[in-house]
Amino acid sequence: MSISLRNCHGGRGACRRSRRGERMPCMTWTTKLPGDIALPLIGFGTWQLRGDTAYESVRAALEVGYRHVDTATLYQNESQVGRAVKDSGVDREQIFITTKLRPQDARHARRTLEASLRQLDTDYVDLWLIHWPTGRDELVSTWQELVSAKDAGLVRTVGVSNYSPAQIDLLTKATGQQPAVNQIPWSPGQHDPALLDQHRRRGVVVEGYSGLKNTDLRHPVLTGIAERHAVTPAQVVLRWHLQHDIVILPRSSRRERITANLDLEHLTLAAEDITAIDTLTRPS
């Protein structure tokens, strides 16, 4: 996994402030997907954000510096996400948008994608995922629909969510097209080095979701590390993901948390911190 640091606004090191006077993180970590596509390692998750809350949260995220927004047909907020992107004043090409296909929509995947594009008010999405596996008989045909949409220029790249390495191999063997991304639950309590290694050996980027939701942020290991670094336990957990090369998708409707979840540039966990957090893994 190749990681780079790019500047979203102005010259290197040129930080800026929001309209509210907040210091805004000025650098964006990215990893390369096939086709030389830059995927920001910190994305803004929108699960359970609806209506005006979704719109205002995405607007806030884009204003403080996020350049990766994750939505899905299931979330029923694509129109609010699209409006927030349009109203943000940020060029569409600078924002990486992910949406997802529900398995029950697999038999009319192209129509579902076209509906998503209308809701998002965009000509393309950067990443289209199958939200979770279909039945075995439709695994390959559904994947072929995603690949076809990529070939048609409606999406820049395609991937999966909640798939096992074996299911990824099945798709790759059947079509010759490997998913670029697998979005799966990941947190200190769910850390699985062997599973992470299986994705790395295949060249599949792991996006971790519910990393904060599935973590006890009051755990003394996390609070102790946070105190030593003068940050929050949530920032410790998010930085831990990044140092394992896992894309993160923190979600919040509170502006101060939206900002804090992105402000990880100056935090680096020591090797002993990483090891201590790794040991929080729950027994299988």
Side-chain angles (χ1 to χ4, degrees):
M1 182 176 183
S2 174
I3 295 175
S4 63
L5 192 63
R6 65 182 174 87
N7 195 320
C8 293
H9 310 283
R12 190 168 184 84
C15 293
R16 61 176 191 150
R17 291 185 178 271
S18 72
R19 289 175 297 176
R20 300 187 183 197
E22 302 152 313
R23 185 182 67 80
M24 297 168 56
C26 53
M27 295 294 185
T28 299
W29 284 289
T30 64
T31 187
K32 289 293 186 182
L33 300 179
D36 201 35
I37 295 169
L39 168 64
L41 291 178
I42 306 176
F44 184 70
T46 65
W47 178 60
Q48 292 186 326
L49 298 178
R50 299 281 184 86
D52 290 343
T53 300
Y55 172 79
E56 295 295 344
S57 299
V58 175
R59 277 295 305 274
L62 294 172
E63 184 172 322
V64 303
Y66 287 79
R67 291 298 178 264
H68 173 185
V69 181
D70 181 271
T71 184
T73 299
L74 177 70
Y75 301 167
Q76 298 179 32
N77 61 16
E78 289 174 315
S79 63
Q80 289 84 8
V81 170
R83 187 159 56 91
V85 169
K86 187 76 72 175
D87 293 348
S88 71
V90 180
D91 290 344
R92 168 65 184 90
E93 292 75 19
Q94 292 185 23
I95 303 173
F96 192 101
I97 299 177
T98 298
T99 194
K100 309 179 196 73
L101 173 74
R102 301 182 305 175
Q104 57 263 48
D105 296 326
R107 294 184 180 180
H108 41 91
R110 180 63 66 88
R111 190 162 73 242
T112 301
L113 174 61
E114 290 169 349
S116 289
L117 294 176
R118 286 193 298 272
Q119 292 285 319
L120 289 162
D121 194 14
T122 184
D123 295 331
Y124 69 96
V125 292
D126 298 275
L127 176 62
W128 194 28
L129 306 177
I130 307 173
H131 210 152
W132 60 92
T134 61
R136 185 174 179 84
D137 290 346
E138 293 183 318
L139 276 175
V140 173
S141 61
T142 303
W143 178 239
Q144 287 173 326
E145 287 288 338
L146 269 74
V147 172
S148 174
K150 176 187 171 185
D151 292 342
L154 299 177
V155 301
R156 294 177 68 206
T157 194
V158 289
V160 295
S161 181
N162 299 302
Y163 275 56
S164 69
Q167 289 169 322
I168 289 173
D169 288 346
L170 187 154
L171 301 182
T172 305
K173 182 177 180 180
T175 66
Q177 298 285 328
Q178 180 173 267
V181 168
N182 191 15
Q183 188 179 118
I184 54 181
W186 207 274
S187 67
Q190 298 162 300
H191 185 54
D192 186 340
L195 180 59
L196 196 55
D197 183 63
Q198 289 184 66
H199 284 83
R200 284 175 177 156
R201 285 190 282 106
R202 289 166 173 78
V204 176
V205 171
V206 172
E207 291 188 343
Y209 69 81
S210 296
L212 298 179
K213 176 177 178 288
N214 292 332
T215 300
D216 178 5
L217 297 175
R218 299 166 298 178
H219 194 287
V221 167
L222 299 175
T223 57
I225 294 171
E227 185 175 349
R228 288 198 299 277
H229 289 277
V231 296
T232 67
Q235 288 174 310
V236 168
V237 171
L238 295 173
R239 192 65 169 95
W240 170 84
H241 280 76
L242 294 181
Q243 288 185 227
H244 276 302
D245 298 338
I246 297 167
V247 177
I248 54 175
L249 303 166
R251 173 208 55 161
S252 181
S253 60
R254 294 174 56 179
R255 189 181 182 92
E256 67 274 16
R257 289 186 178 174
I258 292 171
T259 302
N261 289 341
L262 181 67
D263 194 12
L264 305 173
E265 178 185 346
H266 304 292
L267 170 62
T268 300
L269 301 178
E272 55 267 29
D273 294 333
I274 298 292
T275 300
I277 299 170
D278 289 352
T279 63
L280 300 179
T281 304
R282 294 188 294 266
S284 301

